[in-house]
Amino acid sequence: MTSPLRSLRDWLVRHAPSRHVLVLLHRWTGLGMAFFLIVTSLTGSLLVFDDELDAWLAPQLQLAQPAPGQSAQAMMAPYLLREKVAQAMGPQVHISQLVLHARPGRTVSFQADPATDPATGKPYRLGYDEILVNPYTGVVQGVRDRDKIGLKPSDLMPFLFKLHHSLALPRAPGALLLGTVGLLWTLDCFIGMILTWPRARPFLVKWKPAWLIKWRAGFYRVNLDLHRAFGLWCWVMLLLFAWSSVMLNLRDQIYLPVMSRILSFDTSWRPGPPLPQALSGPPQSWPEAHALARRTMDGFARQRGLVIDFEEKLAFDRRRGVYIYLVHSNADLRADVGNTGLRIDARTGKILGHWLPVGDRDGNTFSNWLGALHMGHVFGLPWRILLVLVGGAVSLLTVTGVVVWWKKRAARRLQLRSPGDGRKPSASHSDAASR
């Protein structure tokens, strides 16, 4: 056993809770998380291919065809496209964005920002929050409410995202619940690892059987080996999922206070306070706003040594008077989507905040990598396939863990009954209860 491992083991022997306490923690934490882990692992495995599945389930919303005789590259200018959508949707909707990077053969998505109803002083109830538009013709192909709970083909992938993201609950309680599960899962990763450590020496020789599965053994032993061995082989990925879940759901409450002790973060991208009254539109025309954003980004890119590949989107936050300008640069992790961004004061052109996927503070870079790995945004198809397999492994670990608990529970009950009826438990039950 190497010196660092020996030192860690000796420290844990002296300071960690007893093995019996760790077993109880692992058992009841696992049982408490079982339902949530199965739901999030199965939905997450599907969401890895969200874009492809959404296009397959709802082609009328996701796929766009050019007009007869029109080239697949001849898409409408962003200003004209935005204007056509605004005219089609009417005065009840603000179209507060320019889509600057459209994919051939696919619709573009506009966020539906409800205008204020002059009769009530409140926003209109639209019944949808997304507008899908053909970028060749400007025709609105459909709308949908991404918060809707439904199993229609066009609603299924947004519903699965909401289920994965917050168990289809309102965001605040859903985030609190799944963030707590993520925190417990993170702690349980370490507890589960420690419980596989042998008490005899030499450490590595005695630890080796925990990584193996005795396929010729009985059902209970194979189930136990599957639970233990898959937990060890997938341990790094399990920890990645668990801690990134904390980051995505309890960022301010848990993740940042913990990680800020070892890493530095830039938080300038966070939205500022809203204006006393939302603006009806940008203070400049959209071409002028776009030119302002370009000039500002060009200066920022020179200062930071960035190379801009293409523009992604320009949006206007009416409630704060801020432009949000996204481009793709050499600081991006994703190959096909730009997430290098600036928050720009719409009146002064001053940069209020920036977002760099990598190359900024070490805490931001680490967090962006953690999120990109969690969501399958890097390393292409092989990584996404691995995420699906690990999602299946999480469900397997959960089910085998419940089976281990159930078998031991049955064995303990049989052992408690046996003195009263004069019978002894069978050898198999005794062995199970002693494990």
Side-chain angles (χ1 to χ4, degrees):
M1 184 175 179
T2 61
S3 179
L5 281 175
R6 185 183 297 114
S7 300
L8 177 60
R9 181 183 184 278
D10 293 343
W11 185 89
L12 288 170
V13 166
R14 290 194 303 269
H15 300 286
S18 68
R19 185 177 184 85
H20 176 67
V21 171
L22 292 177
V23 168
L24 290 177
L25 287 172
H26 185 61
R27 176 189 304 162
W28 295 110
T29 299
L31 288 172
M33 296 188 301
F35 168 76
F36 305 104
L37 293 184
I38 289 176
V39 170
T40 54
S41 65
L42 294 179
T43 54
S45 295
L46 293 172
L47 288 170
V48 168
F49 292 97
D50 177 34
D51 189 55
E52 294 85 351
L53 289 173
D54 206 13
W56 175 62
L57 290 166
Q60 75 280 8
L61 294 181
Q62 296 297 324
L63 303 183
Q65 297 295 328
Q70 188 179 16
S71 167
Q73 304 298 325
M75 288 175 269
M76 295 182 68
Y79 313 120
L80 180 59
L81 183 63
R82 193 208 71 85
E83 187 62 31
K84 287 205 70 171
V85 175
Q87 291 174 358
M89 302 312 296
Q92 294 185 342
V93 183
H94 287 289
I95 304 300
S96 301
Q97 58 194 293
L98 288 176
V99 177
L100 304 171
H101 181 226
R103 291 182 293 168
R106 299 298 296 267
T107 57
V108 296
S109 173
F110 285 87
Q111 181 179 346
D113 182 10
T116 300
D117 183 349
T120 64
K122 297 180 180 179
Y124 285 105
R125 292 188 176 184
L126 302 177
Y128 59 89
D129 58 10
E130 183 182 28
I131 307 166
L132 287 307
V133 181
N134 186 316
Y136 301 102
T137 63
V139 172
V140 174
Q141 293 193 186
V143 297
R144 67 178 173 184
D145 181 359
R146 295 190 64 86
D147 284 331
K148 181 181 178 180
I149 297 176
L151 297 180
K152 288 172 53 180
S154 59
D155 296 329
L156 185 57
M157 294 314 296
F159 169 62
L160 290 180
F161 176 79
K162 188 172 176 63
L163 194 61
H164 182 80
H165 191 244
S166 60
L167 292 178
L169 298 171
R171 178 54 185 158
L176 178 61
L177 180 57
L178 287 185
T180 302
V181 170
L183 182 59
L184 292 174
W185 191 12
T186 301
L187 297 174
D188 197 45
C189 282
F190 292 98
I191 293 173
M193 168 72 82
I194 293 170
L195 287 175
T196 68
W197 289 357
R199 284 170 279 190
R201 299 188 182 188
F203 180 85
L204 293 179
V205 173
K206 297 296 184 181
W207 197 24
K208 180 181 176 180
W211 296 74
L212 306 175
I213 301 170
K214 293 184 178 179
W215 293 107
R216 295 184 179 181
F219 169 78
Y220 176 77
R221 180 53 190 264
V222 171
N223 181 83
L224 180 63
D225 284 353
L226 284 170
H227 184 74
R228 184 171 54 192
F230 268 78
L232 287 172
W233 285 107
C234 299
W235 191 84
V236 172
M237 293 295 294
L238 299 178
L239 183 61
L240 182 152
F241 281 141
W243 190 236
S244 59
S245 296
V246 177
M247 177 187 74
L248 295 169
N249 291 291
L250 296 177
R251 187 178 186 90
D252 293 337
Q253 299 89 337
I254 300 293
Y255 180 80
L256 283 178
V258 171
M259 298 303 292
S260 295
R261 294 179 175 272
I262 55 175
L263 300 172
S264 61
F265 289 84
D266 179 277
T267 58
S268 65
W269 184 252
R270 293 190 172 192
L275 299 172
Q277 184 174 359
L279 303 177
S280 58
Q284 303 100 336
S285 68
W286 279 100
E288 291 171 337
H290 189 195
L292 169 65
R294 277 179 164 172
R295 289 195 304 271
T296 307
M297 178 61 79
D298 286 344
F300 180 79
R302 286 193 299 272
Q303 180 185 3
R304 294 298 184 109
L306 300 176
V307 177
I308 306 301
D309 304 312
F310 57 82
E311 299 175 289
E312 184 70 36
K313 181 171 66 174
L314 174 64
F316 178 60
D317 183 347
R318 298 187 304 111
R319 292 159 186 80
R320 294 174 177 84
V322 172
Y323 292 123
I324 299 166
Y325 183 49
L326 296 176
V327 301
H328 188 280
S329 77
N330 57 337
D332 272 283
L333 289 170
R334 301 182 67 176
D336 57 340
V337 177
N339 283 311
T340 299
L342 293 178
R343 295 180 62 252
I344 304 168
D345 189 304
R347 291 190 176 90
T348 66
K350 178 184 177 182
I351 295 177
L352 302 177
H354 67 269
W355 183 261
L356 293 176
V358 299
D360 198 16
R361 304 283 182 88
D362 51 5
N364 296 77
T365 297
F366 175 84
S367 301
N368 289 328
W369 266 107
L370 193 62
L373 290 169
H374 181 112
M375 292 179 277
H377 289 165
V378 290
F379 302 139
L381 182 60
W383 182 257
R384 293 202 285 168
I385 292 174
L386 178 62
L387 291 182
V388 172
L389 295 176
V390 174
V394 172
S395 295
L396 175 68
L397 286 168
T398 304
V399 172
T400 54
V402 172
V403 171
V404 169
W405 165 76
W406 183 262
K407 294 288 287 186
K408 289 187 176 184
R409 177 176 177 270
R412 283 192 295 269
R413 286 190 168 187
L414 182 60
Q415 194 172 33
L416 289 173
R417 288 201 303 267
S418 60
D421 59 16
R423 292 179 296 171
K424 294 183 178 180
S426 66
S428 61
H429 284 299
S430 298
D431 181 55
S434 65
R435 290 194 182 101

